[in-house]
Amino acid sequence: MEINWTGPKKNQSGIAKAQAIIKQDFLRLSMDVNADNSESCTLMAAPRKHPESGEPQLYYVYSVTTKPQNGYLSETYQGSAILRFDQSAGGQISGNYWTSKHTSGHFRLFNKEPDK
């Protein structure tokens, strides 16, 4: 997973790599994200179809807990994203997000390449 982020202050931005673990059964859908500086878990995930195009989408609400480091304490905040599934891009899932910490950005999830 690639996370392009923009912070609340001018000139705060970057790209973070993370691992997303998506789980689904008949009644539930969740996505846990593990990055170097944080972990997140699903509060709500709802699959939908775009009302105009019919493309599959995922409405995703999550909670992030940062890992304490460099003298900073751990903190928790929430975020939301609308992700869309793009079959033409090899099944890539992507979309914009925003958080209660006044950050925003873009998620891009892609399948792990098989071990060769």
Side-chain angles (χ1 to χ4, degrees), residues 26-99:
F26 188 70
L27 299 174
R28 293 175 295 231
L29 175 66
S30 69
M31 181 168 70
D32 294 332
V33 177
N34 298 307
D36 288 341
N37 299 330
S38 66
E39 296 176 343
S40 71
C41 63
T42 301
L43 298 175
M44 188 276 304
R48 297 281 188 260
K49 282 191 175 189
H50 188 277
E52 299 298 324
S53 69
E55 289 183 336
Q57 293 183 320
L58 179 65
Y59 289 36
Y60 173 55
V61 180
Y62 56 96
S63 178
V64 178
T65 302
T66 61
K67 297 175 183 175
Q69 57 185 351
N70 300 329
Y72 290 97
L73 298 175
S74 176
E75 65 177 321
T76 301
Y77 57 95
Q78 289 70 45
S80 298
I82 299 175
L83 305 172
R84 71 178 189 91
F85 179 77
D86 187 352
Q87 185 64 37
S88 66
Q92 181 175 290
I93 300 170
S94 64
N96 295 328
Y97 75 88
W98 53 97
T99 74

